[in-house]
Amino acid sequence: MILYDYFRSSAAYRVRIAIALKGLVVERRHVHLLRSEQRDPGYRTKSPLAIVPTLELDDGRLITQSLAIIDYLDVLQPDPPLLPSDSVLAAQARAAALTIACEIHPLANLRVIEALQRQFGAKDVEIAAWRRRWISEGLKAVEALVAPGPFAFGAEPSLADICLIPQVFNARRFDVPLDACPRILAADAACAMHPAFLKAHPQAQPDA
């Protein structure tokens, strides 16, 4: 399998965590977003939206979208599972993950920021305020969902942690205060000690 990746992409970061948790060996090919390599015609045949990550299977079939890739990996290698065994906790963990992946991340990703700048003339200070608003509001909602134990939903990392940690990384990168999110900070502290999360961290990547 080949993962088309970029070290600072939140979505790719999620997939790297899942790969590390599963103990899988995956070839990595780097797509530098700030150099617009995602728009190269060759890559667009793999990802029509020109985004990362993309997972290319050994038979050439392609999977895009981080949560779809993670779901495939969870089926491919069921141990360790990425959702709690309790059905309610599993649904809650999935809800937290979807809040991050669908409600927070899209509003502050590179494509949206570029559109705000080019189409609407947004200045740096306005972009910073935009990012802080949506990340802060979204993480406050996630804070109400998680129940650290010590990870977001229990004694083992789950899909919620896989999505949460990249978003916490982004929050710190863009100076979003996290003081009002003690549960998130507790889960983040637990993940910071876990080898899979350390291996997947942006600064541990060869293209960083």
Side-chain angles (χ1 to χ4, degrees):
M1 294 188 293
I2 301 168
L3 177 68
Y4 294 86
D5 185 15
Y6 177 60
F7 78 103
R8 214 156 49 191
S9 159
S10 297
Y13 189 177
R14 296 172 199 148
V15 174
R16 292 196 305 267
I17 295 169
I19 288 169
L21 285 169
K22 297 293 187 178
L24 296 169
V25 176
V26 177
E27 180 184 343
R28 302 267 298 285
R29 294 188 186 172
H30 308 298
V31 180
H32 200 297
L33 301 187
L34 296 185
R35 296 175 188 155
S36 295
E37 291 177 0
Q38 72 276 21
R39 298 188 180 98
D40 289 349
Y43 183 67
R44 291 198 81 133
T45 63
K46 301 179 185 299
S47 174
L49 272 178
I51 57 176
V52 294
T54 297
L55 185 69
E56 184 172 346
L57 306 185
D58 293 340
D59 63 6
R61 287 183 293 174
L62 301 162
I63 305 174
T64 59
Q65 294 295 334
S66 62
L67 296 189
I69 295 170
I70 291 166
D71 184 62
Y72 171 77
L73 296 176
D74 203 25
V75 173
L76 180 69
Q77 173 56 269
D79 187 40
L82 298 181
L83 287 170
S85 57
D86 179 87
S87 59
V88 174
L89 279 180
Q92 291 171 336
R94 194 183 294 277
L98 290 170
T99 299
I100 295 163
C102 301
E103 307 294 344
I104 304 174
H105 174 237
L107 289 169
N109 73 6
L110 182 61
R111 292 192 308 150
V112 169
I113 297 305
E114 288 179 340
L116 290 173
Q117 292 169 327
R118 294 174 182 174
Q119 292 180 240
F120 303 104
K123 307 301 182 186
D124 288 349
V125 65
E126 294 167 328
I127 294 296
W130 171 275
R131 279 188 169 122
R132 284 195 297 270
R133 173 187 174 180
W134 297 115
I135 294 173
S136 180
E137 286 188 15
L139 287 181
K140 286 177 183 176
V142 175
E143 173 73 9
L145 297 174
V146 301
F151 297 98
F153 285 93
E156 301 297 333
S158 73
L159 181 64
D161 301 280
I162 288 171
C163 291
L164 178 61
I165 298 313
Q167 192 59 64
V168 170
F169 174 83
N170 273 349
R172 291 185 171 125
R173 180 182 168 206
F174 298 122
D175 298 319
V176 178
L178 295 171
D179 298 347
C181 300
R183 295 178 183 177
I184 287 175
L185 290 174
D188 177 64
C191 292
M193 304 296 291
H194 194 291
F197 288 83
L198 292 171
K199 184 176 182 179
H201 193 279
Q203 295 307 315
Q205 306 314 305
D207 60 325

